[in-house]
Amino acid sequence: MDVHRPDSLSEALELRAAHPQAMAMAGGTDLMVDLNFDRARPPAVLDLTRIPELREWSLQDGHVRVGAGVTYTRIMAELGDRLPGLAVASRTVGSLQIRNRGTVGGNLATASPAGDALPPLYTADAVVELASTRGTRRVQVAELITGPKRTALAADELIAGFTLPAATGPQEFAKVGTRNAMVISVCAVSLALWPVERRVAICIGSAGPTPIAATAAAAFIAGELDWDGLRRPSDAALARFGELAGAAAQPIDDVRGTADYRRHAVGVLARRTLGWAWGRMPAWS
Ligand SMILES: Cc1cc2nc3c(=O)[nH]c(=O)nc-3n(C[C@H](O)[C@H](O)[C@H](O)COP(=O)(O)OP(=O)(O)OC[C@H]3O[C@@H](n4cnc5c(N)ncnc54)[C@H](O)[C@@H]3O)c2cc1C
């Protein structure tokens, strides 16, 4: 197997165009598992770890642009204040070793329904940059992820990075698993409050073919919340919010959980993450 080791993004894009069968490798935490289990046998690997452009993040006009190769460990250490939802989700990924190697770019390209970095990107309407020698196109994260482990990435494209607004309010993430670490989510919920627009965003992970934005639940609770006085929402409103979130899930029965359990758990996580986020609102006011 050939291993290409470009030193710049432009060199990587040239190699990508010349070798469309080659598989890109960032942290390798998904790719190496596939190679070991013989699920993938590419003629070549395109190692992206030496490319400085992919490892950088920057701020512009209240937005954060994160290179595809920034690891979970760095997101937790360097971006927890600006991207708290993504940072909390990063903290739940794998183990220390996996977080040191694994990248959000790899999570996006794998497009697993259980990818924990994906729901926080949906709740912030993240835009993903897809680069090739033909140029760069920008797509909404929900347009990139087209199905379970399927993306709109063309054969000659690489994910260069993604951009999302810095938080203007609390953001939370919670997942259900059989234990606390090294576990694939049974289901997950990411929730973001955008107080300037008086908007709530909620996205469900691991309970559908792709992450699912629970838009009806979000619109309902945004109308119920007391954005001026910050009073606790009523139990009836919280219960309805949970029901609507559960109804938005499209779960299946599998080895990790039943569809009924997942739908129920999504409702519980929705109420719980909203309670945590709303409790933090005074600190953001
Ligand atoms: C023990 C273990 C525990 C795990 N736990 C979790 C967990 O809790 N939550 C979770 O979500 N995931 C988990 N994972 C899966 C994995 O760690 C994540 O999906 C991670 O984000 C993958 O990133 P990576 O940089 O290692 O990707 P890689 O393995 O390098 O690549 C993954 C895929 O993305 C492609 N790719 C990578 N970078 C790019 C790019 N810039 N442009 C285009 N294509 C690209 C590769 O070709 C490959 O198809 C776990 C994996 C292991 C082995």
Side-chain angles (χ1 to χ4, degrees):
M1 183 186 291
D2 292 331
V3 178
H4 303 287
R5 307 198 73 194
D7 290 309
S8 68
L9 185 57
S10 58
E11 191 189 342
L13 295 177
E14 295 288 346
L15 285 163
R16 184 78 173 146
H19 306 279
Q21 303 298 322
M23 286 190 76
M25 185 178 79
T29 60
D30 277 324
L31 182 70
M32 293 310 293
V33 176
D34 283 347
L35 293 184
N36 283 344
F37 282 95
D38 235 353
R39 291 193 289 248
R41 203 39 66 191
V45 166
L46 183 58
D47 178 0
L48 304 178
T49 54
R50 290 149 70 110
I51 302 176
E53 297 99 304
L54 297 182
R55 294 198 304 266
E56 289 163 1
W57 63 263
S58 57
L59 298 172
Q60 203 177 12
D61 299 333
H63 284 66
V64 189
R65 193 254 177 211
V66 185
V70 176
T71 62
Y72 294 111
T73 296
R74 286 189 52 212
I75 288 171
M76 289 157 53
E78 299 167 28
L79 289 168
D81 51 348
R82 295 182 173 100
L83 305 178
L86 185 60
V88 177
S90 299
R91 222 169 277 148
T92 75
V93 171
S95 61
L96 188 68
Q97 295 89 335
I98 297 295
R99 293 192 292 273
N100 281 344
R101 296 282 314 176
T103 65
V104 177
N107 210 243
L108 280 164
T110 293
S112 163
D116 288 316
L118 306 181
L121 300 187
Y122 278 63
T123 54
D125 294 324
V127 172
V128 185
E129 282 165 43
L130 308 180
S132 70
T133 51
R134 295 174 287 122
T136 299
R137 61 187 179 115
R138 290 175 175 76
V139 297
Q140 290 285 330
V141 62
E143 289 168 34
L144 174 69
I145 313 285
T146 53
K149 300 206 168 182
R150 284 204 304 273
T151 70
L153 202 65
D156 64 344
E157 285 178 325
L158 289 172
I159 300 174
F162 56 93
T163 301
L164 66 177
T168 56
Q171 302 183 348
E172 296 291 347
F173 175 88
K175 77 184 192 189
V176 171
T178 43
R179 56 182 189 171
N180 246 347
M182 296 286 280
V183 73
I184 304 177
S185 296
V186 175
C187 65
V189 162
S190 176
L191 180 136
L193 299 180
W194 299 99
V196 180
E197 304 97 323
R198 300 192 165 198
R199 190 167 68 83
V200 177
I202 171 170
C203 180
I204 301 162
S206 217
T210 64
I212 298 169
T215 48
F220 165 77
I221 200 68
E224 293 290 318
L225 290 172
D226 172 17
W227 295 97
D228 295 315
L230 302 184
R231 270 176 318 194
R232 186 184 178 279
S234 70
D235 288 343
L238 286 173
R240 181 72 187 133
F241 175 59
E243 272 170 27
L244 288 169
Q250 298 167 26
I252 54 168
D253 293 331
D254 69 11
V255 287
R256 281 178 280 133
T258 63
D260 282 349
Y261 174 72
R262 284 188 159 106
R263 204 182 285 287
H264 170 77
V266 163
V268 173
L269 292 184
R271 291 199 306 272
R272 198 172 286 170
T273 51
L274 178 70
W276 293 336
W278 195 245
R280 291 184 207 274
M281 271 294 285
W284 288 81
S285 302

